[in-house]
Amino acid sequence: VGTTHLESFIGPAQNEQIKRARRQQLQQATHILEREAQQYGCAAAVLLGDFNLNNEDDKEGNVLDGLSSGWHDAWEEVGRPNAAKATCGWSWRLDRCLVFPVSGHQAAGRTLGSASGSSSSGPRPLAVRAASVALVGQSTIAGEYYDYEDRRKGTIRKELPVSDHRGLLVTLEIVYVANYLSTNPSIVRAPRPRSAHRPILARTQHP
């Protein structure tokens, strides 16, 4: 699992340079995670964080452009839920969770990663898939305010949010390929990242 904060916008004069740097950073991060996941026999590699890419406006292309074909966007995989789309502002989807299955298995229309599990009858392949995506951290800090400059209304005092980005909570399921629709999974909550500025969490679900 890797976390990232890709290069930020700093001004129109440097924008083309920043866009190239951002793409290079993304390609480098995904390449490292692919290699590590394959080397250590992981079911999948996961990259999540503030990508500073909003491909819905078509200005920088799809976030997956230039990456290995196995990478996919968890938000896309679970059906593009509108309630979990805007991680910054009214519509920007800058924060992402990308998943790379180490090898493919087709099940219930999803592409799943695999790794060797074991049982009394021998090895059992495991699978990883995105199950749900939701936004967290949308509340404000009680008693804290900031001044917002509105072009038409002037200065407006607003309650201070916990962050300028919303947190992205992604549930990943780890299941046996043969019976991935287990009816009684156990839930394991991954630890929170050290930085609380952009609380992007992952949660895994075991067979």
Side-chain angles (χ1 to χ4, degrees), residues 20-96:
R20 288 193 299 269
R22 193 180 294 138
R23 285 289 177 180
Q24 291 171 355
Q25 292 167 352
L26 180 57
Q27 291 171 3
Q28 182 180 20
T30 54
H31 176 72
I32 291 172
L33 289 171
E34 288 174 38
R35 184 186 63 206
E36 294 288 305
Q38 292 166 352
Q39 179 179 350
Y40 294 103
C42 300
V46 178
L47 179 66
L48 62 168
D50 181 357
F51 284 32
N52 277 309
L53 279 164
N54 183 44
N55 59 262
E56 279 71 24
D57 59 16
D58 295 323
K59 292 180 179 179
E60 294 191 52
N62 192 287
V63 68
L64 300 177
D65 290 347
L67 305 185
S68 299
S69 59
W71 286 98
H72 56 270
D73 189 319
W75 181 79
E76 298 274 357
E77 187 180 14
V78 299
R80 300 168 60 92
N82 193 60
K85 179 180 179 180
T87 65
C88 183
W90 292 104
S91 61
W92 294 342
R93 193 166 71 89
L94 303 183
D95 304 271
R96 312 288 181 112

Side-chain angles (χ1 to χ4, degrees), residues 174-205:
I174 303 176
V175 294
Y176 292 122
V177 171
N179 62 335
Y180 67 94
L181 291 178
S182 175
T183 56
N184 296 299
S186 61
I187 302 296
V188 177
R189 187 65 174 269
R192 293 178 65 90
R194 292 183 180 180
S195 173
H197 181 59
R198 295 181 175 89
I200 302 173
L201 311 178
R203 180 170 59 185
T204 58
Q205 191 161 318

Side-chain angles (χ1 to χ4, degrees), residues 116-125:
S116 294
S118 61
S119 68
S120 58
S121 59
R124 300 178 65 184

Side-chain angles (χ1 to χ4, degrees), residues 143-173:
E144 297 293 334
Y145 301 89
Y146 73 102
D147 291 333
Y148 173 75
E149 297 297 331
D150 186 278
R151 292 183 179 180
R152 292 178 297 178
K153 299 180 181 180
T155 302
I156 301 175
R157 174 151 288 196
K158 292 187 173 184
E159 292 184 311
L160 185 67
V162 294
S163 172
D164 60 332
H165 287 234
R166 299 166 189 90
L168 193 63
L169 177 64
V170 178
T171 301
L172 300 177
E173 292 179 332

